[in-house]
Amino acid sequence: MASRRRMLLKVIILGDSGVGKTSLMNQYVNKKFSNQYKATIGADFLTKEVQIDDRLFTLQIWDTAGQERFQSLGVAFYRGADCCVLVYDVNVMKSFDNLNNWREEFLVQASPSDPENFPFIVLGNKIDIDGGNSRVVSEKKVKAWCASKGNIPYFETSAKEGFNVEAAFQCIAKNALKNEPEEDIYLPDTIDVAGRATQQQSSGCEC
Amino acid sequence: MHETELHDLSDDSDYAAASRHTGSSNITRSDSGKSITSESGPLKVVYSKDNVSIHPTQYASERISGRLRLFKQGSSLFLSWIPYKPSTDAEDDSFWQGSSSISKEKGRNLYTIKLLPLRDVHSIRRHTPGLGWQYIIVVLSSGLAYPPFYFYNGGAREFLATLKHHVCIVSCIATTGLCKSVDDANVFLVNDFQDPLQNSIISRASNRASLHKPSNSFSSLDDSKIVNGTTYGDISSAISEYRGRPKKSHDPARDISIQVMEKFSLVTKFARETTSHLFRENHGDLLNTHRKKQQVEDGFLNPATSSSDDEKKTTNMVQVDSDPLEFEKLPLVWGTQRKAPLSLEEWTSFLDSEGRIIDSKALKERIFYGGVEHNLRKEVWKFLLGYNEYDSTYAEREYLASEKMHEYEILKSQWQSISAAQAKRFTKFRERKSLIDKDVVRTDRSVAYFEGDDNQNVTVLRDILLTYSFYNFDLGYCQGMSDLLSPILYVMKDESESFWCFTALMERLGPNFNRDQSGMHSQLFALSKLVELLDSPLHSYFEQKDCLNYFICFRWILIQFKREFEYENILRLWEVLWTHYLSEHLHLYMCVAILRRHRAKIMGEQMDFDTLLKFINELSGTIDLDWMIKEAEALCVCAGENGAACIPPGTPPSLPLETNMGLYPLEDEVL
């Protein structure tokens, strides 16, 4: 395996301040959760080796500041991204409402070659809070939005409990891979995320 | 030429110079030194080595060889280096240029060291290259350095052993972390840092070297010229004499030291070039050397073009352009030893009977070099931040405090009076409050003062930030502000005072949080210019890697290194920065200092933007604060006016140029 070329897959996590971007990243990479994460200033990233269909990839996960005011930095941080993860807090309506802004802002700043088909993933985080009783964004509402934006895969997660995080990032990795130019990679014929995304339950990305 | 007699100078004439020297640290040329009068006993040779050479140019053929000796007289140690007569090593002189023998003659006189008292030496750096000869670089207390002395017959170790035997030497390889050159370098601080003369940059500046024209037979110097710091003689002439007696200087550091630095860099420039080319030169690969030199001068050495070279390393490190300041080792020269923090006793001495600060400049200087004892911070910070005027009295300050407390309560009541029903219809308020609520609970919670559930201080943090977002509604709240407020509240332990001190700080740092990021961009731009000035190879590298936006330093600048140091060190760093003593923009020089420190790794490993960002972020918690301040100070002094010119007027934390208009550019979406 070591002799194989390790490809880098760059993933950007976006979303309002405090929705849990840093926590999701750390839960996935380090399997840890802390209440003590500070507000992210600027940007940072973690990397993790992932295996997809017998090939090794390096997933480079970028965590960015959540305040809109810092979006102008995106030009530098988003470039070369292979996938964009949009995170909202299921308990905060505004954070869901802003997903559209984040998506558009990303497309402007990263200017991917094929914006129509650029892979996004939506994560609804903090489903653990108050046993789900404080949630204000319905699954139906989110899925409708995801469907309207080209069937964006959707996961509900709890970074704190580690729920669904692994599955979500597996899907993220596969979608990032999908974004790679064909000549660079061997494309397994089982990837078909977009077509089925809306039928999935929140745990689902069967790619 | 009479200078050739230097070769014949016997120990006798050295005696003469030494004996004059015992009464004064002013060495003079000893052309007239035929009469021997010893006042402090006999001068004894304790070390002598032949074939110790310097290289005025990069060409080995132009080396000037001589004899290096150490003398002892009483308890004093002296160093001398006397070049040989030209005939002994002149056979290749004209190989490269016809003028070489002339320049060599000049160099022979320039670099002669008659008798240098070791107490005038700041440090001696020994380099042990993997290939080639060992050499040492002698740096004087003034900051001036002699060219490297190459030990063609060995003996560098003995030399240092002899030195160690006779004077107090502190090896500083571990403590300063300065020895980042590729060679195995050893720095030996000769002098005792406890010496008060070496404790401030002012004394260093006044300790500057004096120069003399080498071909002149007279050696006396016009003292008034030295005191004024205006006349330096021929800059291209190097230092063979040194005036070590401290003189009063009315002006801090800058004007004097710049000139010292200029001369210093001239000397060290050839030291650098010589060193980097010497080895190849001595192997006769002259053309190749010349070609390589050209490449280096043309800009960053492209690894592709050098890959076929015999120098190609087996690792994947690429050749890194030499540090333009490498041999100057600024911290070694100027890194003013940090002082103990300002004590209560000292603080009191700055105040007159009514509580006015008599000499605010001296106070700021004092704080710059040592910070403030913690229990004084509450009082002193209010001045540094501009909340209290330096010329205010105790009574005035007391009155102001009560006024401001009242004013704060009014401001605070603006948002406190918002009812739930009103808040429901006031989206911006809700969003702001929610943002602040989210941030205060993740601000410095590991610090005891903010620790634990339902901590009242966290609530105060929230209240101040929310009040500020009403006081400065245009700017509002932005992430990073809680980081700036937290240490202030920790020090002030008072809501109103913290608010006003924070407000004063935000007068300068507010633009960091502009919606259009203009304040940040102007600082990042200035940083780019400073790196270009102070380390052009590094600048070229960043350019090549598309890193000139310096976003890698964004966090450092936005919140004044808040995330890079332990809490206690942040307090120290900030009070140093807030003195604005050498520059309002010392934080930018700090950025340069850190980047430069890792330049070899950054360029050697060919870090791209991503890797660089990661690398920079991971430096958090590893930076030595005192080192950083000293290095930044040195860079700032070194850059001088050119450095200041890199920073456009109004660049934060300078106060904004125009204050009559709205300060903060608005966009439609005000959060």
Side-chain angles (χ1 to χ4, degrees):
Chain A
M1 197 58 75
S3 63
R4 294 199 184 187
R5 192 166 73 96
R6 288 189 185 194
M7 275 184 49
L8 187 72
L9 297 174
K10 181 170 178 176
V11 173
I12 314 288
I13 309 182
L14 299 180
D16 278 8
S17 175
V19 297
K21 299 180 291 297
T22 306
S23 295
L24 282 164
M25 177 178 78
N26 273 290
Q27 178 59 258
Y28 174 60
V29 176
N30 299 320
K31 304 276 178 258
K32 282 180 193 158
F33 176 80
S34 164
N35 281 316
Q36 304 267 323
Y37 292 126
K38 298 180 172 187
T40 305
I41 302 285
D44 201 357
F45 63 83
L46 292 177
T47 56
K48 179 163 176 155
E49 301 297 318
V50 292
Q51 189 173 338
I52 304 171
D53 300 323
D54 210 27
R55 297 182 64 213
L56 269 186
F57 297 91
T58 301
L59 203 57
Q60 187 188 60
I61 305 159
W62 283 70
D63 177 29
T64 57
Q67 197 163 5
E68 290 177 34
R69 222 172 279 204
F70 295 122
Q71 279 183 14
S72 70
L73 297 174
V75 179
F77 297 142
Y78 304 169
R79 65 185 161 193
D82 297 300
C83 180
C84 177
V85 182
L86 303 172
V87 185
Y88 77 98
D89 178 346
V90 298
N91 308 288
V92 179
M93 184 57 77
K94 176 76 178 174
S95 70
F96 168 73
D97 293 340
N98 272 340
L99 287 186
N100 207 45
N101 294 340
W102 283 112
R103 181 178 171 276
E104 285 175 11
E105 186 67 24
F106 174 83
L107 290 173
V108 168
Q109 302 259 13
S111 51
S113 52
D114 184 9
E116 290 297 307
N117 296 305
F118 187 88
F120 286 92
I121 309 270
V122 171
L123 305 185
N125 194 34
K126 303 197 185 183
I127 58 166
D128 58 283
I129 286 188
D130 203 11
N133 292 325
S134 63
R135 105 175 257 163
V136 293
V137 185
S138 73
E139 203 170 333
K140 188 181 165 193
K141 187 169 182 175
V142 181
K143 289 192 168 176
W145 183 80
C146 287
S148 74
K149 298 297 171 187
N151 293 326
I152 300 176
Y154 172 63
F155 290 82
E156 301 207 332
T157 57
S158 163
K160 188 176 182 179
E161 313 280 346
F163 176 75
N164 227 8
V165 174
E166 182 71 33
F169 275 92
Q170 275 292 323
C171 179
I172 288 162
K174 290 188 179 185
N175 277 270
L177 185 55
K178 193 183 70 172
N179 187 50
E180 288 295 304
E182 286 204 23
E183 61 267 28
D184 274 1
I185 55 160
Y186 152 75
L187 259 185
D189 54 9
T190 49
I191 289 188
D192 181 21
V193 178
R196 276 179 263 165
T198 49
Q199 279 82 51
Q200 288 163 9
Q201 291 304 302
S202 60
S203 62
C205 172
E206 297 169 13
C207 50
Chain B
M1 296 174 79
H2 71 272
E3 279 82 4
T4 59
E5 292 168 16
L6 288 172
H7 169 66
D8 298 324
L9 286 171
S10 61
D11 289 351
D12 292 352
S13 55
D14 291 332
Y15 270 103
S19 60
R20 272 203 305 280
H21 199 87
T22 51
S24 154
S25 57
N26 183 10
I27 316 173
T28 57
R29 294 288 302 274
S30 62
D31 295 1
S32 59
K34 297 290 181 202
S35 64
I36 308 159
T37 53
S38 177
E39 291 161 12
S40 311
L43 196 61
K44 190 176 133 204
V45 179
V46 292
Y47 173 86
S48 176
K49 196 76 201 175
D50 279 298
N51 276 321
V52 177
S53 308
I54 64 161
H55 293 259
T57 71
Q58 68 192 73
Y59 304 114
S61 58
E62 295 214 7
R63 80 178 187 218
I64 303 173
S65 298
R67 180 186 293 166
L68 183 71
R69 279 175 294 183
L70 288 171
F71 296 94
K72 191 159 197 215
Q73 183 182 45
S75 61
S76 302
L77 201 65
F78 299 90
L79 182 149
S80 93
W81 179 78
I82 310 293
Y84 302 134
K85 267 199 284 204
S87 56
T88 58
D89 58 358
E91 48 275 1
D92 298 323
D93 267 4
S94 57
F95 186 85
W96 277 99
Q97 36 184 299
S99 64
S100 123
S101 52
I102 296 164
S103 61
K104 194 162 163 177
E105 190 58 50
K106 196 176 167 190
R108 183 172 277 104
N109 302 322
L110 276 176
Y111 302 116
T112 297
I113 303 175
K114 297 296 300 190
L115 270 183
L116 172 72
L118 260 294
R119 69 185 135 94
D120 289 346
V121 174
H122 173 267
S123 68
I124 293 173
R125 173 179 291 267
R126 180 181 62 180
H127 290 257
T128 310
L131 293 164
W133 294 273
Q134 286 202 342
Y135 60 95
I136 58 165
I137 296 177
V138 178
V139 180
L140 301 178
S141 308
S142 62
L144 292 159
Y146 288 100
F149 292 105
Y150 289 85
F151 290 74
Y152 281 89
N153 285 359
R157 187 186 292 270
E158 290 167 56
F159 172 78
L160 287 164
T162 309
L163 271 184
K164 275 182 188 165
H165 189 66
H166 293 283
V167 294
C168 174
I169 290 183
V170 186
S171 175
C172 72
I173 189 159
T175 54
T176 67
L178 298 172
C179 306
K180 57 201 172 192
S181 63
V182 289
D183 304 344
D184 168 28
N186 294 302
V187 179
F188 299 90
L189 291 178
V190 175
N191 279 348
D192 183 1
F193 262 146
Q194 297 312 308
D195 177 0
L197 286 182
Q198 299 196 14
N199 276 349
S200 80
I201 199 162
I202 289 184
S203 67
R204 276 157 197 264
S206 57
N207 265 350
R208 68 190 181 277
S210 57
L211 297 175
H212 72 108
K213 294 214 164 69
S215 56
N216 284 347
S217 57
F218 68 87
S219 58
S220 64
L221 285 147
D222 183 345
D223 275 351
S224 65
K225 287 180 180 174
I226 295 160
V227 173
N228 292 332
T230 50
T231 302
Y232 281 85
D234 182 3
I235 270 179
S236 67
S237 69
I239 338 83
S240 52
E241 297 188 7
Y242 168 67
R243 177 180 295 263
R245 182 142 299 183
K247 290 202 160 45
K248 286 283 180 196
S249 172
H250 59 279
D251 199 16
R254 188 170 253 179
D255 54 345
I256 304 165
S257 50
I258 288 164
Q259 298 181 64
V260 176
M261 293 309 303
E262 278 173 3
K263 293 191 292 276
F264 184 40
S265 64
L266 277 173
V267 177
T268 53
K269 182 168 179 284
F270 90 64
R272 177 173 67 248
E273 288 172 353
T274 301
T275 311
S276 59
H277 294 289
L278 187 67
F279 178 72
R280 276 162 295 177
E281 192 66 23
N282 276 282
H283 282 249
D285 194 3
L286 298 170
L287 286 173
N288 184 45
T289 303
H290 197 66
R291 180 174 58 78
K292 282 193 74 72
K293 181 174 186 293
Q294 198 59 47
Q295 287 176 344
V296 170
E297 283 168 354
D298 286 346
F300 184 79
L301 195 55
N302 186 330
T305 62
S306 65
S307 60
S308 62
D309 201 279
D310 56 322
E311 281 201 1
K312 186 182 179 184
K313 296 179 180 166
T314 50
T315 68
N316 56 6
M317 296 278 285
V318 301
Q319 186 170 348
V320 170
D321 268 11
S322 63
D323 181 345
L325 305 173
E326 173 76 14
F327 275 79
E328 291 159 33
K329 291 298 173 195
L330 292 164
L332 200 64
V333 181
W334 293 107
T336 308
Q337 191 69 4
R338 305 292 300 160
K339 293 181 183 176
L342 180 80
S343 66
L344 176 62
E345 198 176 30
E346 283 178 280
W347 165 243
T348 313
S349 74
F350 278 101
L351 299 166
D352 72 9
S353 59
E354 293 186 302
R356 293 185 197 87
I357 287 161
I358 305 153
D359 186 348
S360 63
K361 194 173 179 193
L363 175 67
K364 288 185 212 172
E365 183 194 334
R366 176 64 186 84
I367 294 169
F368 180 87
Y369 286 114
V372 180
E373 277 184 6
H374 185 70
N375 53 6
L376 287 175
R377 284 191 170 124
K378 183 174 161 64
E379 195 170 359
V380 176
W381 277 23
K382 291 182 216 168
F383 293 96
L384 292 177
L385 286 166
Y387 169 61
N388 280 336
E389 301 287 342
Y390 286 99
D391 58 0
S392 62
T393 63
Y394 291 125
E396 286 165 348
R397 295 200 285 272
E398 203 173 311
Y399 177 73
L400 180 78
S402 67
E403 285 290 291
K404 286 290 182 183
M405 189 185 291
H406 181 61
E407 199 179 329
Y408 174 73
E409 290 304 326
I410 293 171
L411 285 167
K412 188 177 175 183
S413 68
Q414 290 178 6
W415 62 264
Q416 279 184 318
S417 65
I418 294 175
S419 66
Q422 187 187 358
K424 207 174 158 186
R425 297 163 174 83
F426 194 172
T427 307
K428 272 190 185 33
F429 171 69
R430 288 199 318 273
E431 287 172 2
R432 245 175 221 193
K433 185 166 176 298
S434 141
L435 199 52
I436 293 169
D437 280 335
K438 274 184 183 135
D439 280 359
V440 292
V441 297
R442 46 180 177 166
T443 301
D444 297 323
R445 296 304 295 282
S446 56
V447 175
Y449 188 72
F450 297 109
E451 221 169 31
D453 295 337
D454 301 319
N455 185 315
Q456 196 52 36
N457 298 322
V458 175
T459 310
V460 176
L461 207 57
R462 195 273 311 265
D463 288 358
I464 295 174
L465 289 168
L466 201 47
T467 307
Y468 182 77
S469 87
F470 272 72
Y471 173 77
N472 191 346
F473 200 85
D474 291 351
L475 186 63
Y477 173 77
C478 183
Q479 290 191 323
M481 288 184 184
S482 67
D483 279 281
L484 293 178
L485 174 60
S486 149
I488 292 175
L489 179 58
Y490 173 74
V491 164
M492 298 297 156
K493 306 221 167 22
D494 176 277
E495 188 170 338
S496 166
E497 284 187 333
S498 299
F499 172 81
W500 290 110
C501 283
F502 177 69
T503 302
L505 179 65
M506 293 302 287
E507 288 301 302
R508 291 179 173 276
L509 295 184
N512 283 10
F513 304 100
N514 282 355
R515 284 184 176 70
D516 60 2
Q517 295 287 296
S518 57
M520 286 302 296
H521 286 306
S522 64
Q523 287 171 89
L524 294 168
F525 171 81
L527 173 59
S528 160
K529 290 290 159 195
L530 283 177
V531 173
E532 188 174 9
L533 174 73
L534 289 162
D535 196 338
S536 69
L538 188 61
H539 173 83
S540 304
Y541 177 81
F542 286 149
E543 188 170 28
Q544 178 197 328
K545 294 292 177 184
D546 206 7
C547 294
L548 282 188
N549 56 36
Y550 282 90
F551 283 175
I552 52 171
C553 302
F554 186 87
R555 188 173 77 192
W556 293 355
I557 293 174
L558 186 83
I559 48 175
Q560 305 253 292
F561 295 97
K562 171 70 165 31
R563 300 280 178 92
E564 320 309 318
F565 293 95
E566 294 294 315
Y567 208 65
E568 180 59 32
N569 278 340
I570 282 299
L571 309 180
R572 176 60 29 84
L573 169 63
W574 285 5
E575 64 204 9
V576 167
L577 285 176
W578 295 342
T579 63
H580 302 130
Y581 173 61
L582 284 177
S583 164
E584 287 181 316
H585 302 97
L586 198 75
H587 68 301
L588 297 179
Y589 291 96
M590 289 172 175
C591 296
V592 180
I594 303 169
L595 292 173
R596 275 174 46 72
R597 175 169 199 161
H598 301 285
R599 69 191 301 285
K601 188 174 172 66
I602 290 168
M603 293 194 280
E605 293 179 10
Q606 288 282 293
M607 291 186 186
D608 59 9
F609 177 83
D610 295 358
T611 316
L612 197 53
L613 180 88
K614 188 81 183 156
F615 175 71
I616 296 286
N617 282 347
E618 287 180 352
L619 289 179
S620 174
T622 70
I623 305 166
D624 181 315
L625 177 63
D626 283 350
W627 169 84
M628 184 179 83
I629 296 172
K630 284 193 282 187
E631 183 90 4
E633 174 199 352
L635 288 167
C636 182
V637 168
C638 178
E641 292 302 315
N642 294 331
C646 292
I647 305 167
T651 299
S654 295
L655 291 168
L657 294 177
E658 292 173 35
T659 52
N660 54 337
M661 301 285 286
L663 285 173
Y664 304 98
L666 294 176
E667 285 170 13
D668 290 344
E669 191 64 28
V670 179
L671 245 183

